[in-house]
Amino acid sequence: MKKPFDIGIKASWVLPMDQNPTQVLTDCFVGIEKNKIVAIEPLSKNHRKLCKKWIDGQGMALIPGLINAHTHLAMTLFRGLEDDTPLKVWLFDRIFPLEAKFVSREFVKTGSELAALECIRFGTTTVADMYYHPAVTMKVWDKIGLRGLFSQPVMDFPLPEDRTLGKDHWGRFLKNLKAYRKHPRLKFALAPHAPYTCGDDVLKKVAQLSSETLCPIHIHLSEAKHEEPESQTRYKKSQVERLFELGVLGPRTICAHSVHLSESDKVLLKQSGASVVHNPDSNLKLSSGVAPVVSYLKHDINVALGTDGSASANDLSLFGAMDLATKVQKLVSQDNTAMVAAQTLWMATRGGAKALGLDDQIGSIETGKEADLVLVDFNFPHLQPVHDPISHLVYSCQGLEVDTVLCAGKILMSGKKILPLKAEPIFKRAKSYQKQMRAFVDLLIKKEKNPS
Ligand SMILES: [Zn+2]
């Protein structure tokens, strides 16, 4: 008998995230052919016979693959290094010298592989990454079968990779863009680092290249409190006003953070069609502030969810980010209905897909969309009983309950076992970097105490 489905998934709950963010289907079958979802039906006894491969998600919830819309993947290797030191010391006297000393192709490969393990483990199938040597990370992502939007940071200052790759940042951008133009899962973006690190010339060039190539722009916007007064002093305008005037803001622009925007900035951002990426872990840990997410949603601005890099957020779990994002908005609004779980899950799926310009391909469980799917196992004490799967996903799940992960119809994790990568050799290389970096930082501290 011909079997029409390559993979069939039985799930106790399916959260389609299509038009209605609160919709939950029960006892469902989802059929996959090649890389696409081709059927979503009430489960019947016949379904199993029609599938070449069967995945039994009894007691599990099927959700769209999560989308981390702002991160710096290779920074996993900085996780937990010199946490809780004053922000300026941490950034300028620790992270920047460490990057200058250690960031190489090999460093980025190890950090990206470690990040890939973590993304799969936490059910993230798509990322928007901004870091050095993006071609190295893209090779890692390509081999494993994950999806992503990658970018080469540009700013007025030299980059760590200039030593080996030269200073032709725009040439490198065009080369990467061309190499991945037709790739089914990987895309390339422009990444002016931030308004305060990029002069008008750099930003104008970014706007010009984006309009010529139609590629997205990924930028940090208004993260720390001091950025806005500095922008007013230097340019006599807010960061949003400046980016808008220079043509950087548009429907293809992804604005990470966006913590300190004025009401008129929000109106301008809405007018531009740009998306905001909320990174609650990083914003709270670096005490940057709380992004006015509820207000953005009222302005009908698209909001996605991100973790930021592991140097500031410590992990790449969107489950943690969803929990924190929802609770913080309730707290600052002093209204426990200001933001609800379904809105946050929407941000981590549909909001991310829209921000990355991939809304027609991913972010929901619908026929014709890519089979980026995650089964979350509710067979744990902290997830019983199941009154509301959406509440569990946002408020109760830790992330490690993720059981099965598919990206473009390829099974990347099954029964909580990651298939395309072996963890041990990656952990070993990460440990080697840990020792080298610790020794380097100890030397920096010694020099600071005894300047000669
Ligand atoms: Zn960032």
Side-chain angles (χ1 to χ4, degrees), residues 219-238:
I219 187 168
H220 292 100
L221 176 70
S222 197
E223 179 179 359
K225 200 164 187 181
H226 62 83
E227 292 175 31
E228 287 300 338
E230 281 171 14
S231 178
Q232 291 292 349
T233 307
R234 199 163 162 198
Y235 300 103
K236 308 280 177 271
K237 53 192 89 163
S238 73

Side-chain angles (χ1 to χ4, degrees), residues 70-72 130 193 218 220 223 256-257 279 282 308-309 312:
H70 176 69
T71 187
H72 312 282
M130 181 202 287
H193 171 263
H218 187 176
H220 292 100
E223 179 179 359
H257 303 300
N279 302 273
S282 169
D308 210 351
S312 55

Side-chain angles (χ1 to χ4, degrees), residues 68-368:
N68 187 346
H70 176 69
T71 187
H72 312 282
L73 292 169
M75 293 186 95
T76 45
L77 294 175
F78 296 125
R79 188 195 327 267
L81 181 60
E82 294 292 289
D83 275 350
D84 305 330
T85 43
L87 185 58
K88 274 197 171 163
V89 174
W90 176 78
L91 191 60
F92 290 94
D93 301 338
R94 301 290 180 264
I95 295 296
F96 287 165
L98 278 163
E99 285 187 320
K101 169 83 179 164
F102 287 97
V103 170
S104 64
R105 291 176 61 85
E106 188 49 44
F107 179 96
V108 170
K109 183 169 184 277
T110 301
S112 301
E113 287 179 345
L114 186 60
L117 284 171
E118 197 179 341
C119 285
I120 296 171
R121 198 64 201 76
F122 286 135
T124 296
T125 50
T126 300
V127 296
D129 184 50
M130 181 202 287
Y131 206 59
Y132 310 114
H133 294 291
V136 174
T137 307
M138 290 173 95
K139 260 192 188 159
V140 171
W141 240 239
D142 189 21
K143 202 172 158 199
I144 294 166
L146 285 160
R147 194 183 300 280
L149 178 71
F150 296 85
S151 53
Q152 162 78 62
V154 284
M155 54 183 109
D156 293 343
F157 313 103
L159 308 176
E161 63 207 272
D162 291 354
R163 283 194 304 267
T164 47
L165 301 178
K167 290 181 185 167
D168 184 10
H169 304 146
W170 306 122
R172 293 214 292 274
F173 160 74
L174 290 168
K175 195 176 150 208
N176 283 322
L177 186 74
K178 199 174 161 200
Y180 286 94
R181 198 64 156 165
K182 291 185 179 157
H183 197 286
R185 288 175 290 102
L186 308 183
K187 299 268 175 275
F188 209 68
L190 283 151
H193 171 263
Y196 66 91
T197 50
C198 295
D200 285 1
D201 288 349
V202 167
L203 293 172
K204 276 184 203 160
K205 182 76 180 172
V206 164
Q208 178 214 325
L209 282 171
S210 176
S211 87
E212 284 170 11
T213 62
L214 303 180
C215 93
I217 299 171
H218 187 176
I219 187 168
H220 292 100
L221 176 70
S222 197
E223 179 179 359
K225 200 164 187 181
H226 62 83
E227 292 175 31
E228 287 300 338
E230 281 171 14
S231 178
Q232 291 292 349
T233 307
R234 199 163 162 198
Y235 300 103
K236 308 280 177 271
K237 53 192 89 163
S238 73
Q239 289 193 345
V240 167
E241 286 165 345
R242 183 167 160 244
L243 293 183
F244 189 86
E245 284 172 22
L246 292 169
V248 173
L249 289 184
R252 292 188 297 274
T253 313
I254 303 163
C255 303
H257 303 300
S258 312
V259 178
H260 303 283
L261 268 57
S262 67
E263 278 305 306
S264 58
D265 284 340
K266 291 174 198 166
V267 171
L268 219 46
L269 203 69
K270 169 64 192 164
Q271 197 185 320
S272 75
S275 291
V276 161
V277 185
H278 180 40
N279 302 273
D281 291 86
S282 169
N283 293 163
L284 267 67
K285 180 153 167 272
L286 301 182
S287 74
S288 307
V290 176
V293 172
V294 172
S295 175
Y296 290 145
L297 296 176
K298 278 186 188 148
H299 279 271
D300 197 24
I301 293 168
N302 181 53
V303 183
L305 200 62
T307 58
D308 210 351
S310 292
S312 55
N314 295 59
D315 66 53
L316 301 174
S317 170
L318 285 172
F319 286 92
M322 286 194 289
D323 184 37
L324 197 56
T326 322
K327 288 173 181 168
V328 164
Q329 293 302 319
K330 289 174 188 292
L331 178 75
V332 294
S333 308
Q334 296 192 41
D335 173 3
N336 79 322
T337 64
M339 200 155 123
V340 298
Q343 286 175 299
T344 329
L345 188 59
W346 182 271
M347 280 161 48
T349 52
R350 292 301 293 276
K354 190 175 177 195
L356 273 60
L358 298 173
D359 200 25
D360 58 337
Q361 296 173 46
I362 58 169
S364 60
I365 303 176
E366 293 177 86
T367 53

